Amino acid sequence: MAYSKGPTIALKYSASPFPGNLEVLVLRGEDQGQSSSLAYAVAHRGLANVVHIASGVCTTSHVNFEGKEKSRDAATYLTQAKWCQFQSKRTVLVLASYKGFKVMEWDGSSVVYSHDLQPTPTPGSQRECFARGVAAVGNALCVGTSEGAVLVFQIATKGSEVAFTQRLEGHTSPITCLASDSYTGALQLASCDEEGVLIIWGNPNKSTESKVVIREMESPCTSLCLWRNFLIGGFGNGLVRIYDATNGSKLVEIAAHARWINSLDVAYDAGLLLSVSEDSTAAVWSLPTPTNQKVSQLGSLTITNKLLCGGRFCNTKGTRFAVSAYDNAEILTFRTANAE
């Protein structure tokens, strides 16, 4: 499966160096026959670059966490910028930071909800308090914290009504990533942390406890995906592991990269996995199916002199994907010959 370089998308500010620093949103046309459009988000310090491409027209803007142009307050530096699509069909942009998180309308035009995190006083503890890891499950917004907890909120269909519902506890180190199957709407949440512990939870829209705990303690888990009955994790040691999401058993282990994996993404319809690493490579893999349990590498690209920090498919067929790189003010796109 050969990918070639597509258009380069210019950003106003370069990408910050943290895992998962690229988000892609497919906006479906409301009218029948109207084509979909794409939006991209990349974090830079305390703001998110937002690029919207519709009918060949590119609109670039940026959304500040504090509403100020390039705030120098390190507490407002982002740890994630993520679009969440809820069962109610509402889409919001969530900005997580070292101060807390904000929920905004999808284009960043207005703030829906703001939540500051207060550090828990612990004698001798030097741990900073921050939000990291964001996922939507049903109509629940889930946000991970540096204390290892996952905070759950219910988001109204419209307006600014946001209600805290529960706190999920099971991790003892900072959350690195949350994942949900937003494509099929399965009411399941997965989380991982800096120690390499992965947890699969029940439905966070109800009072829930951890269902499955997986302990891969030798390296941090940096990225997660839920696809069908699989949980897929990317690790700091360059490994990709695929687990059974019902019982946590390890099905496949891939020595995918030479360095830290910074992003995983799944093309749902095609059953393809994208892995992006600090080793400057982006690889595409076929995922297991009921009739074929093997995983194969279908393509790999080396992006010279770029420390890749984010990667996302741009459609569910896996024919296009995009990557971001640290200290680089552009998004690089790649496509197959038959890409739409």
Side-chain angles (χ1 to χ4, degrees):
M1 193 170 187
Y3 289 85
S4 58
K5 196 169 185 305
T8 297
I9 302 168
L11 303 172
K12 185 171 183 180
Y13 301 107
S14 61
S16 293
F18 60 78
N21 192 6
L22 173 64
E23 184 70 2
V24 175
L25 174 66
V26 180
L27 294 159
R28 305 293 180 186
E30 295 183 358
D31 299 327
Q32 197 169 29
Q34 185 179 351
S35 61
S36 61
S37 60
L38 283 174
Y40 302 83
V42 174
H44 168 86
R45 295 190 177 182
L47 60 84
N49 296 280
V50 177
V51 180
H52 183 210
I53 302 176
S55 302
V57 178
C58 180
T59 304
T60 303
S61 61
H62 60 275
V63 182
N64 295 284
F65 187 85
E66 282 295 298
K68 301 174 183 178
E69 182 74 16
K70 298 197 73 172
S71 171
R72 296 182 181 274
D73 182 2
T76 67
Y77 283 12
L78 301 186
T79 58
Q80 191 170 9
K82 185 175 178 65
W83 278 296
C84 290
Q85 297 177 288
F86 297 99
Q87 201 171 52
S88 64
K89 306 301 182 184
R90 185 175 191 180
T91 300
V92 299
L93 174 64
V94 181
L95 302 182
S97 78
Y98 288 94
K99 186 176 182 180
F101 68 91
K102 287 188 177 181
V103 181
M104 314 185 81
E105 297 296 349
W106 78 266
D107 58 356
S109 58
S110 61
V111 177
V112 174
Y113 176 75
S114 181
H115 186 93
D116 286 346
L117 290 174
Q118 299 297 327
T120 301
T122 304
S125 174
Q126 299 297 317
R127 180 179 294 176
E128 294 184 39
C129 195
F130 57 83
R132 183 172 62 192
V134 177
V137 184
N139 289 321
L141 171 66
C142 305
V143 181
T145 73
S146 55
E147 294 180 327
V150 178
L151 308 180
V152 183
F153 303 81
Q154 283 291 317
I155 305 291
T157 305
K158 58 182 179 179
S160 58
E161 185 179 342
V162 177
F164 173 75
T165 57
Q166 62 178 318
R167 176 186 175 100
L168 306 180
E169 296 185 335
H171 294 276
T172 57
S173 66
I175 301 293
T176 52
C177 187
L178 300 182
S180 63
D181 187 351
S182 58
Y183 185 72
T184 63
L187 300 178
Q188 192 175 42
L189 174 73
S191 58
C192 59
D193 66 26
E194 290 184 356
E195 291 183 340
V197 175
L198 295 77
I199 298 181
I200 304 170
W201 306 84
N203 180 4
N205 292 272
K206 302 176 181 179
S207 179
T208 188
E209 297 180 353
S210 60
K211 293 171 58 179
V212 178
V213 179
I214 304 166
R215 300 187 184 279
E216 301 281 8
M217 304 294 286
E218 77 275 13
S219 182
C221 183
T222 59
S223 188
L224 281 180
C225 293
L226 278 169
W227 179 73
R228 294 185 178 175
N229 199 38
F230 300 114
L231 173 65
I232 309 162
F235 292 81
N237 56 11
L239 296 179
V240 171
R241 295 185 173 108
I242 302 177
Y243 307 89
D244 186 316
T246 58
N247 58 30
S249 61
K250 189 189 303 180
L251 305 175
V252 179
E253 182 173 280
I254 312 165
H257 293 277
R259 298 185 65 182
W260 196 282
I261 292 176
N262 273 336
S263 189
L264 295 179
D265 194 29
V266 171
Y268 284 85
D269 291 340
L272 300 179
L273 175 71
L274 172 67
S275 62
V276 169
S277 168
E278 286 185 359
D279 64 8
S280 300
T281 61
V284 176
W285 313 80
S286 65
L287 289 171
T289 66
T291 57
N292 183 7
Q293 294 297 309
K294 294 183 178 180
V295 174
S296 302
Q297 187 183 82
L298 302 181
S300 179
L301 291 169
T302 299
I303 298 122
T304 308
N305 298 325
K306 295 287 190 296
L307 194 158
L308 303 182
C309 53
R312 288 287 183 269
F313 282 113
C314 301
N315 57 31
T316 59
K317 297 179 181 178
T319 57
R320 291 191 291 161
F321 71 85
V323 299
S324 63
Y326 167 55
D327 204 25
N328 190 51
E330 55 188 16
I331 297 170
L332 307 177
T333 68
F334 300 88
R335 59 194 301 161
T336 61
N338 61 343
E340 298 177 356

